[in-house]
Structures are given as C-alpha cells and as structure tokens.
Amino acid sequence: MITSDEGRIASLTALGAWGESALHHLLAERAQERGDSLAVVDQPNCQEWFGREAVQLSFTELDKASDCMASVFLKAGLGRDDCLIVQLPNVAEMIVCYHAASKIGLIVSPIPVQYGAHELRHIAATVSASAMLTCEKFKSTPLASNAETALPDTNILCCGRDMPPIAEMAKVDPESAQRVTDYQQLNPVTANDIITICWT
C-alpha cells in the first residue's frame, strides 16, 4: 500500500530524504556483507515469560527465518496490502515478523501485550485486519486464546503452534525461499510501501 502521491515520492527521493530500499532489501545487504554477524538476541528471561529458550540469530539466520515466516503467511492466504495485527512480547519472532512482512508487502499493526478484547476488536475493525499473529502466552496471560475469543472471525496465527520454532525457521529452507521469491516477482515491494500502522 502506497499512500504518498508519485510527485511527493519523486521529490523527496531526489532530495535524498527518502531512500529506495525496503526493510528486507537492507536485511539482504547485511546478510550478504556480514551474514555470520549477530543480528538478534533474545532477553535472557525469555523462557520465563515466553515459554522457550532465548535464541540468537545472525543476519543470515534472520533472513532465512523471515523467508520461512513469510511462507507461512502466504500459505495462510495473506499477501500484499493485507493488515496483520501482531501481539508479541519483545522476542526474536517480532523482528522476524517485520522482515517477513516487508518481503511480501504485509502491513504490520503491532499492539502491546497488555491490550485485551476491547482494544483488539477496535483495532481489528479499524484496520480491517486479515489476520493476527500472537503467541500462546505472555507470562500467565493466554494471548492466543484471548485473541480467538475476542476475534472469532479473524485468522489467529500462533508462534510455536502454526509455524516452526524460531530455531527451525532460521535454517535453510529452499521451498520457503522459493515461494517468497516467486511471490515477490509478481508483487514487488518498494521503500514507499507502508509496513506499519502503529497505535499510541
């Protein structure tokens, strides 16, 4: 989705105020330049409040994981200009999600883990959400079941349930990479495409 008119885009790009690389283009550059360098580090208490061991991802692993997650989104029927509500704590899956969304033109609408049914219904209606990505729980709060109750007509995707574990996503998966590449050829994403709708 591009909301700026072509004249504004051309003017700001010519001035150097706007670049021409989308988020996933920047990731591809980093993965090529220094793929083995550390890109993402979970907080050490990840097990306590997210239910899995903390992980660390290199730029190459982040690229591979985002291909895998993007492929899951495509298989779920999501694609360019669809809006995805994301309710996750500050974990590696959140970073992977942004890059996966960039690769296929999804618009991410991130919301705090404290938001409940009232906020979920309001936001889903406002952005015409096609789906939601969350996790089974944050500490003792059952995020996935809360979302499924609040949004019964929305496709709720759950990390750890509807996609491989993060460590598995970070491995080479030619099928996922090819699915994403094929989609990108038909649906190219530019730096002018919206990637987030944020709430305050």
Side-chain angles (χ1 to χ4, degrees):
M1 178 185 298
I2 298 175
T3 57
S4 294
D5 63 71
E6 291 183 10
R8 182 167 188 252
I9 291 170
S11 173
L12 291 170
T13 302
L15 287 171
W18 285 6
E20 298 185 70
S21 294
L23 182 63
H24 68 282
H25 297 139
L26 299 174
L27 174 59
E29 290 173 11
R30 296 299 85 72
Q32 186 169 7
E33 292 170 358
R34 50 181 192 266
D36 293 335
S37 296
L38 193 58
V40 178
V41 179
D42 271 326
Q43 297 190 39
N45 60 350
C46 195
Q47 176 69 53
E48 177 186 340
W49 45 260
F50 189 58
R52 68 151 174 76
E53 292 297 323
V55 300
Q56 297 185 1
L57 301 177
S58 68
F59 284 105
T60 296
E61 290 170 330
L62 176 57
D63 194 27
K64 300 302 180 194
S66 60
D67 276 342
C68 182
M69 189 178 285
S71 179
V72 171
F73 292 151
L74 291 173
K75 286 193 246 183
L78 302 172
R80 186 181 175 89
D81 295 341
D82 286 329
C83 190
L84 176 73
I85 297 172
V86 178
Q87 187 176 39
L88 290 172
N90 188 19
V91 290
E93 284 84 350
M94 177 68 90
I95 308 299
V96 172
C97 176
Y98 275 96
H99 289 88
S102 178
K103 288 181 176 184
I104 61 173
L106 271 179
I107 301 167
V108 174
S109 187
I111 61 171
V113 291
Q114 295 88 349
Y115 279 14
H118 174 74
E119 292 88 355
L120 285 175
R121 285 192 288 265
H122 170 71
I123 289 169
T126 302
V127 301
S128 300
S130 298
M132 178 173 173
L133 176 66
T134 190
C135 54
E136 291 284 0
K137 66 180 183 69
F138 172 68
K139 296 184 178 178
S140 60
T141 303
L143 294 181
S145 62
N146 287 353
E148 287 161 350
T149 300
L151 304 174
D153 299 322
T154 301
N155 184 9
I156 308 297
L157 298 170
C158 184
C159 293
R161 182 187 73 193
D162 301 311
M163 57 189 64
I166 189 76
E168 292 298 314
M169 286 197 290
K171 295 179 180 177
V172 174
D173 179 3
E175 183 180 327
S176 290
Q178 190 60 54
R179 181 177 290 110
V180 172
T181 299
D182 291 345
Y183 186 83
Q184 288 174 329
Q185 289 175 347
L186 297 174
N187 304 275
V189 176
T190 73
N192 301 306
D193 283 277
I194 291 174
I195 191 171
T196 59
I197 299 174
C198 296
W199 301 87
T200 59

